[in-house]
């Protein structure tokens, strides 16, 4: 992907599936497009930084993004991933507080920036849009609570397996229908699972030997996703 190669349409012509903005009419999407910026980020570039204040919403038009926090010891901790059609920065926008994480392009990305005033005006006027954002915030809270429970009650093997399932939910498979459509480092998988890189490497190797997954360099192949869900003790 090269800078300037991709044409970014207006919001009303965008075909990406955004569950938040599906409540908007064509005219409201046109209003959302006013003052919209479309930015290109190379792999490794930061889209926004932890501690900075929000000036609007970010919507991923294409590409993959990771969100990470810096701990008190200065160590980066990956907290989640985002892909095409996902919205970033809505909590900082609504709370008028600094970003609680840094967003970094995992590959070359095109990301739209929607102006704060336009977003807030639509949120105030469209109750369905407000409800969609509340649902997203509720989902985030539920996931955070479940993650805490998993750290306390699930084994490392279960957590690693569930992390792979969540990565699949975010990025899906490649055309073969078995290979995760993203290449992640072992430390990134460890962060999501709440364990050390060394433990993640051993656990992935164990899952590979048992035939639950196949490891091909940084790629992960899932021969049978139902079996992986059983290993994760995943209930949905």
């Amino acid at each position: 992907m090269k800078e300037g190669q991709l044409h970014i349409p207006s919001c009303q012509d965008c075909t990406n599936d955004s569950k938040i903005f599906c409540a908007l009419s064509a005219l409201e999407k046109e209003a959302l497009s006013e003052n919209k910026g479309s930015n290109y980020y190379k792999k490794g570039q930061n889209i926004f930084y932890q501690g900075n204040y929000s000036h609007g919403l970010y919507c991923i038009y294409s590409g993959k993004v990771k969100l990470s926090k810096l701990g008190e010891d200065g160590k980066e901790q990956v907290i989640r991933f985002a892909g095409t059609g996902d919205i970033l920065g809505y909590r900082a926008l609504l709370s008028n507080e600094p970003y609680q994480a840094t967003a970094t392009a995992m590959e070359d990305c095109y990301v739209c920036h929607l102006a704060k005033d336009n977003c807030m005006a639509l949120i105030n006027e469209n109750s369905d849009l407000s409800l969609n954002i509340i649902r997203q915030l509720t989902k985030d809270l539920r996931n955070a609570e479940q993650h805490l429970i998993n750290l306390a009650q699930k084994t490392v093997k279960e957590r690693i397996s569930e992390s792979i399932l969540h990565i699949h939910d975010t990025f899906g498979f490649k055309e073969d229908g078995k290979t995760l459509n993203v290449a992640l480092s072992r430390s990134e998988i460890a962060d999501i699972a709440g364990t050390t890189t060394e433990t993640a490497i051993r656990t992935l190797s164990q899952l590979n030997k048992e035939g639950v997954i196949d490891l091909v360099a940084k790629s992960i192949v899932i021969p049978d996703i139902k079996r992986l869900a059983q290993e994760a003790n995943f209930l949905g």
Side-chain angles (χ1 to χ4, degrees):
M1 185 187 299
K2 295 181 179 179
E3 184 174 3
Q5 181 178 344
L6 194 63
H7 169 70
I8 309 296
S10 61
C11 292
Q12 59 266 40
D13 295 327
C14 184
T15 57
N16 284 342
D17 179 23
S18 172
K19 294 181 177 61
I20 288 181
F21 294 137
C22 65
L24 299 180
S25 67
L27 287 177
E28 287 172 324
K29 289 180 180 179
E30 182 178 355
L32 189 66
S33 287
E34 294 179 4
N35 303 316
K36 182 182 81 168
S38 301
N39 301 312
Y40 170 81
Y41 297 91
K42 292 184 178 180
K43 180 180 178 179
Q45 279 190 306
N46 289 325
I47 299 167
F48 57 77
Y49 293 86
Q50 179 180 344
N52 285 358
Y53 278 87
S54 170
H55 296 288
L57 286 179
Y58 291 89
C59 184
I60 304 173
Y61 182 74
S62 68
K64 301 175 179 68
V65 174
K66 70 177 180 181
L67 289 101
S68 59
K69 293 174 68 75
L70 284 179
E72 293 183 359
D73 58 357
K75 182 181 180 297
E76 180 189 61
Q77 174 82 32
V78 178
I79 55 174
R80 70 181 179 94
F81 301 105
T84 299
D86 286 336
I87 307 299
L88 306 175
Y90 45 87
R91 280 176 288 180
L93 176 74
L94 294 175
S95 65
N96 199 30
E97 295 178 347
Y99 292 117
Q100 298 301 303
T102 296
T104 306
M106 300 172 63
E107 62 183 23
D108 292 357
C109 294
Y110 286 90
V111 181
C112 297
H113 181 261
L114 307 169
K116 182 176 182 177
D117 290 345
N118 294 35
C119 293
M120 293 306 299
L122 287 172
I123 290 170
N124 289 329
E125 295 169 2
N126 189 313
S127 59
D128 289 335
L129 175 60
S130 300
L131 182 59
N132 285 347
I133 294 176
I134 291 172
R135 285 172 175 160
Q136 184 62 51
L137 291 168
T138 302
K139 179 181 177 182
D140 291 345
L141 179 59
R142 183 180 69 245
N143 290 341
E145 291 173 342
Q146 186 60 51
H147 185 62
L148 288 175
I149 293 172
N150 289 348
L151 289 177
Q153 299 182 358
K154 284 197 172 187
T155 66
V156 173
K157 187 179 180 183
E158 288 172 336
R159 300 203 307 267
I160 290 288
S161 299
E162 185 168 343
S163 297
I164 296 172
L165 287 173
H166 284 316
I167 293 166
H168 164 261
D169 289 342
T170 302
F171 298 122
F173 286 131
K174 293 184 178 179
E175 292 181 358
D176 64 4
K178 293 183 178 181
T179 305
L180 288 180
N181 191 27
V182 63
L184 297 174
S185 69
R186 301 304 185 246
S187 63
E188 289 170 333
I189 296 174
D191 282 349
I192 293 297
T195 189
T196 65
T197 301
E198 293 77 12
T199 300
I201 291 172
R202 288 196 300 269
T203 306
L204 288 168
S205 178
Q206 181 183 357
L207 291 169
N208 181 65
K209 289 178 181 178
E210 294 173 355
V212 180
I213 61 173
D214 292 327
L215 300 177
V216 183
K218 285 188 176 182
S219 296
I220 297 178
V221 179
I222 305 175
D224 185 348
I225 199 164
K226 290 184 179 179
R227 185 181 174 190
L228 180 63
Q230 290 174 347
E231 291 291 344
N233 192 18
F234 187 62
L235 301 177

